[in-house]
Amino acid sequence: MAFHRFKALETVLSRTPVNVIMPSNKLSEIFGANVFGIDAMREYLTEDAFKSVLSAIQEGTRIDRKVADPIASAMKSWASTKGATHYTHWFQPLTGTTAEKHDAFFEPTEGGRAIERFGGAQLVQQEPDASSFPNGGIRNTFEARGYTAWDPTSPAFVIGTTLCIPTIFVAYTGEALDYKTPLLKALSALDKAAVDVCQYFDKNVTKVTATLGWEQEYFLIDEALYNARPDLVMTGRTLFGHSSAKGQQLEDHYFGSIPERAAAFMRDYEVECLKLGIPVKTRHNEVAPNQFECAPVFEECNLAVDHNQLLMDVMDKVARRHNFRCLVHEKPFAGVNGSGKHNNWSLGTDTGKNLLSPGKTPKTNLKFLTFFVNTVKAVHDNADLMRASIASANNDHRLGANEAPPAIMSVFLGSQLSSVLDDLEAKVKSGKMSPDEKTALKLGIGKIPDILLDNTDRNRTSPFAFTGNKFEFRAVGSSANCAGPMTVLNAIVADQLILFKKDVDSLIAKDVEKDEAIFQVLRKYIVESKKIRFEGNGYGEEWVKEAEKRGLSNIKTTPQALGAFVSKQTMSLFERHNIMSEREQHARYDIYLETYTKKIQIESRIMADLAMSHIIPTAIKYQSSLIENVRGLKEIMSEADFKKSGQIQLAMISEISDHINIIKTKVYEMTEARKKANAISDVKKQAIDYCDKVKSYFDIIRYHVDKLELLIDDENWPLPKYRELLFTK
Ligand code: ADP
Ligand code: MG
């Protein structure tokens, strides 16, 4: 252990906030300063090269190898003015973090000279020796190479002295080994499907972009205390710890004034983020003590994903400068709120319109209704896949707990929109709607956003909620790469929109008028997706029963949830839109299962280690001092007095013995269960075994350790306690 608990506490109490030197420029002036964005490109690139990059960004065209050279050279010149000496391809392997390998711009040659080496070839493609990244068996060792390829839709940036070039990461044989590749494909499928549907309403739309605004929750813990908790260091969460007498029950932290040290950290990382073009805007305290949130202005989905990955990295680095550790784990503390990452999602057109924003005209509102109902239908038809997209060992602790969305997928629409859908269902059913009725319905929708945006009709317990002009996928975990859930959401909506167009066109072919055809198809979807709609309290026990009655899944654990990734339905969905092949999906499924197993395995080992070598020895030491005390009492007291006064000590001694015995037995049994699980070669069976037979010991071991925490002399307890971790400022 790096620090004794009390030394760690002393260190914390003596800290003063790190003085942040704020840039003298206005924040708007430093925004994007370290990004090779449109302005920098215009300045550094030739006319041809600039056009070529722009069309790659806007239309997804390939960049000709011939212009790659001048682009690389311009990028390097620009990066040098920012102090960059190295470059790296920056990518998002399935480890969940980002990866980079830095190369110097120059290369030494004979005679002690050096040449500059960063051309088009280096920009466009690299071959990292990536055999140690998760690949789910896709890359056999003989074809261990993978390559990274430049993604021009996300601009290059400089961090420190390194030029970072966002890239995709694929196997030598072409299969995706990262989060970005399938996301880009899903986004392009969505673009095409949505543009086609837009033609019913507005012929000027030629591009539809999915937009994403995430809200990142996190905890800040002092580094000295963090270092004194091996469980936090190794697993990102506390495996033991009795809840402190004061937790979040007074609700005094939420939106309260931000503590000075935390505020200094925020100012510092926000400046770093702004320089990187991440439009961070909102910051506030969250519900739990020492829990905070950061949210940016929304952006194009792929860019927003990159920016969230970058943000987590920047936060981690800057936190260390402030003697903090930034925890993005979904559930660092039992009994205290966990952290999520709400994904606000919508669709924007190149005509500047938000397709999920009802407007003032009937036509706009029919368009809105179309995208709205299709999204609900897509989620209804793919609820299990949506659940799978947010499944992780960490998130299992949070989902279904009384503070986070349940593991049951449902959609919240708000009472106004619900009644619009009910209305539409009833009226279209009873024959043709009169033109007046249609207009009235469409106009009625126009009044809804003000009400919804007004916050009065919002439900906080739904995993997927409509919030006025966007959907909010709230079940996403705080440490997740948003690309996972965003790939799924964009893919299922793309698929649904294609189906919608087919359905409407076939009615039009039968001479049904366009508006009427749209209404009829929407009505059909409203009926078919009814059971996914839920406006009540998602945290309540009644909802679990009601959901079961409706036939909705309630998949509680990750190994079970992941199954939806390899269902026939998902396989064919991703194949159909060329997002992932069956092989890629199977590989990914295996990787997710393996990751789950490894996480539980590590937690189980750390737990056993802490229990056996930290907790039990401390308990025994304290128990010995009690025994010594009893001996002394016996010596100095009369037998009658001892009978009266010695009982408490004797009871404590046996209570401690009981806890020690149970902890020891359970740790032994858990270790045996682990051995058995380790011998299983099938990845799915192994993950399920880890979930059902190993993880099941966590609660009981923790219960007894936490009881000991209350019994043992505070001075001897080895681990910083919850009240110290969460309240020492
Ligand atoms: P809250 O939900 O906390 O009340 P807001 O409604 O202001 O806050 O927005 C929360 C998040 O939603 C922000 O990150 C914002 O960027 C994002 N957001 C707003 N509009 C859109 C949109 N059209 N597409 C995607 N995200 C959006
Ligand atoms: Mg929100």
Side-chain angles (χ1 to χ4, degrees), residues 188-414:
S188 125
L190 178 83
D191 174 15
K192 187 164 180 326
V195 166
D196 285 351
V197 169
C198 278
Q199 301 309 301
Y200 288 137
F201 313 99
D202 182 355
K203 300 256 185 260
N204 295 323
V205 174
T206 63
K207 187 173 173 64
V208 171
T209 317
T211 49
L212 166 64
W214 37 261
E215 301 164 57
Q216 179 73 51
E217 294 181 338
Y218 60 96
F219 280 87
L220 283 181
I221 300 300
D222 188 275
E223 167 172 74
L225 297 170
Y226 170 91
N227 281 331
R229 294 277 323 208
D231 47 357
L232 268 184
V233 174
M234 306 302 283
T235 71
R237 75 177 182 107
T238 53
L239 300 172
F240 301 130
H242 200 282
S243 56
S244 75
K246 178 180 189 286
Q248 59 194 50
Q249 62 272 62
L250 295 177
E251 293 170 351
D252 50 357
H253 184 66
Y254 192 50
F255 280 25
S257 81
I258 298 173
E260 203 183 334
R261 269 185 74 197
F265 157 75
M266 289 175 184
R267 280 196 296 277
D268 204 359
Y269 87 69
E270 282 170 0
V271 168
E272 297 292 328
C273 283
L274 290 172
K275 283 192 218 155
L276 290 168
I278 309 173
V280 286
K281 189 162 186 272
T282 313
R283 51 156 108 127
H284 61 78
N285 291 356
E286 259 304 323
V287 176
N290 276 354
Q291 191 188 26
F292 306 94
E293 181 184 296
C294 151
V297 176
F298 68 92
E299 297 176 284
E300 183 279 320
C301 188
N302 175 45
L303 186 60
V305 165
D306 282 3
H307 279 169
N308 181 249
Q309 290 297 115
L310 256 181
L311 170 100
M312 289 194 283
D313 201 33
V314 168
M315 276 183 162
D316 182 68
K317 287 189 179 121
V318 176
R320 288 161 200 253
R321 288 212 286 262
H322 291 256
N323 305 307
F324 277 131
R325 283 309 151 100
C326 180
L327 307 182
V328 291
H329 193 290
E330 280 74 356
K331 192 76 183 175
F333 304 99
V336 169
N337 265 21
S339 301
K341 176 151 50 198
H342 296 178
N343 276 204
N344 295 275
W345 171 90
S346 191
L347 299 168
T349 65
D350 56 352
T351 52
K353 296 280 186 290
N354 176 352
L355 292 171
L356 288 172
S357 181
K360 297 284 172 246
T361 67
K363 197 161 103 188
T364 324
N365 288 334
L366 187 57
K367 182 172 71 183
F368 158 76
L369 208 55
T370 295
F371 285 93
F372 179 74
V373 170
N374 274 289
T375 305
V376 177
K377 176 75 160 56
V379 174
H380 169 272
D381 289 359
N382 298 277
D384 288 354
L385 181 57
M386 288 286 278
R387 166 70 183 93
S389 79
I390 45 119
S392 71
N394 296 1
N395 215 12
D396 278 1
H397 297 294
R398 182 178 155 258
L399 295 179
N402 276 0
E403 38 146 304
I408 307 162
M409 215 23 88
S410 69
V411 183
F412 169 85
L413 303 180

Side-chain angles (χ1 to χ4, degrees), residues 22-31 33 271 274-275:
M22 293 297 283
S24 51
N25 327 45
K26 280 200 211 124
L27 290 184
S28 58
E29 279 165 18
I30 59 166
F31 184 69
V271 168
L274 290 172
K275 283 192 218 155

Side-chain angles (χ1 to χ4, degrees), residues 10 16 27 62 80 159 163 172 189 195 227 311 318 362 383 414 493 513 583 612 631 634:
E10 257 169 42
T16 49
L27 290 184
R62 270 178 183 279
S80 305
I159 289 191
L163 167 68
Y172 196 65
V195 166
N227 281 331
L311 170 100
V318 176
V493 173
E513 179 253 340
R583 196 165 125 91
M612 299 306 285
R631 271 209 199 97
K634 219 173 184 171

